[in-house]
């Protein structure tokens, strides 16, 4: 019998247990300590879970992450098994809704600029149409491409940027270091949906923030490491960046005394843009277990050298 170890967060087990049991009928589902590690065939993993040393899991055919971002495990020297990350419908819909909602809020200035309720009837500026607004999505993977497609469907002029060239219908797709400047030049709103890797560290810095149109809005649901925080704060203070909506940070939870909390042009959300949903995630786990047992290639396999 196939044995699957749940090594996600203990607090999430009551939600995952029924979802995994439904998706994996006939599989022995166990918790850490219930069976010897060398009898486990697959490890359902979260960086915040109890298993960080994979050495004893000599029979495991794959480590199946419940998280989309794998920066906390990709360099783990004890990990010799294939690593698959989470790509699921719940994550995708969550990210699309967070990015689209904040992009529309920025576009229509909903809640972004205080002080408008002052009794002065300013009707000289009609609300612009989405077709007049340039939005750039940095990262055109599972989540970025879905966001870019939705924003394009709303009528925005969408530019996307990725490492290798991608084709997304309705989106101007740029790639590589040379494409970044052009991608940022039209970005009245820019969404960062990139992984945390050595190459993406401080992607938005004093120089690249200067490539944005003045007053651009920065949305970061990717990872905190993508932004040089001091440079962003300086750009906000100087008006080069009009507003930043930040969901992810170098240190999480964001410390109470961090300047982002009090900055009038920053909206903080507490890493809630997109969460893995047990029902849809369990189906992705089950598909990889099926593939492993059938000798088929895993889906959503992480390229360890690339880091995502
Ligand atoms: P993905 O499918 O692996 O896509 C990553 C995208 O980033 C790809 O388009 C990739 O380019 C691009 N990329 C990577 N390195 C690059 C570089 N150096 N230069 C330019 N482009 C680069 O990942 P995903 O599922 O869309 O998720 C993206 C990230 O979202 C995750 O890694 C995680 O950090 C974050 N996330 C956040 C939350 C939240 O709640 N805030 C939830 C889930 C995920 P290629 O297409 O050429 O490979």
């Amino acid at each position: 019998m196939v044995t699957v170890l749940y090594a996600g967060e203990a607090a999430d087990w009551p939600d995952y247990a029924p979802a995994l049991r439904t998706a994996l009928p006939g599989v022995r589902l166990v918790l850490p300590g219930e069976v010897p590690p060398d009898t486990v065939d697959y490890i359902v993993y979260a960086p915040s879970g109890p298993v960080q040393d994979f050495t004893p899991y000599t029979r495991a055919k794959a480590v199946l992450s419940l998280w989309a971002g794998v920066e906390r495990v990709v360099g783990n020297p004890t990990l010799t098994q294939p690593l698959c990350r989470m790509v699921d419908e719940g994550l995708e819909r969550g990210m699309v809704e967070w990015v689209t909602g904040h992009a529309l809020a920025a576009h229509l200035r909903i809640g972004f600029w205080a002080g408008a309720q002052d009794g002065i009837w300013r009707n000289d500026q009609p609300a612009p149409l989405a077709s007049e607004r340039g939005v750039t999505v940095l990262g055109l993977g599972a989540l970025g491409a879905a966001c870019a497609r939705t924003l394009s469907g709303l009528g925005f002029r969408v530019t996307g940027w990725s490492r290798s060239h991608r084709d997304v219908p309705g989106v101007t797709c740029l790639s590589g270091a040379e494409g970044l400047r052009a991608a940022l030049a039209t970005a009245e709103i820019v969404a960062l949906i990139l992984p945390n890797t050595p190459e993406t560290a401080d992607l938005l810095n004093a120089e690249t923030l200067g490539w944005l149109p003045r007053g651009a809005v920065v949305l970061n649901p990717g990872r905190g490491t993508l932004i040089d925080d001091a440079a962003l704060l300086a750009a906000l203070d100087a008006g080069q960046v009009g507003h930043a909506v930040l969901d992810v940070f170098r240190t999480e939870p964001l410390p109470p005394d961090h300047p982002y909390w009090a900055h009038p042009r920053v909206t903080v959300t507490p890493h809630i843009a997109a969460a893995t949903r047990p029902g849809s995630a369990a189906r992705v786990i089950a598909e990889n277990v099926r593939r492993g047992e059938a000798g088929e290639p895993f889906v959503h396999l992480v390229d360890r050298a690339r880091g995502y």
Side-chain angles (χ1 to χ4, degrees), residues 59-83:
R59 197 168 101 175
K61 293 179 191 152
V63 172
L64 308 173
S65 175
L66 292 171
W67 290 26
V70 290
E71 68 274 10
R72 282 166 64 179
V73 63
V74 77
N76 185 325
T78 69
L79 180 64
T80 52
Q81 301 85 347
L83 171 67

Side-chain angles (χ1 to χ4, degrees), residues 201-278:
D202 289 334
L203 187 82
L204 280 196
N205 53 47
E207 183 185 13
T208 54
L209 285 165
W211 298 347
L212 291 166
R214 188 166 174 78
V217 172
V218 172
L219 312 178
N220 186 15
R223 281 293 181 262
T225 50
L226 302 173
I227 296 179
D228 174 337
D229 294 320
L232 177 59
L233 285 163
L236 284 159
D237 289 339
Q240 169 61 12
V241 172
H243 201 96
V245 185
L246 308 173
D247 185 58
V248 285
F249 306 90
R250 281 194 153 74
T251 305
E252 294 182 8
L254 185 66
D257 59 348
H258 195 286
Y260 282 149
W261 282 115
H263 201 290
R265 293 183 177 191
V266 174
T267 302
V268 169
T269 64
H271 202 144
I272 43 80
T276 305
R277 313 285 156 158

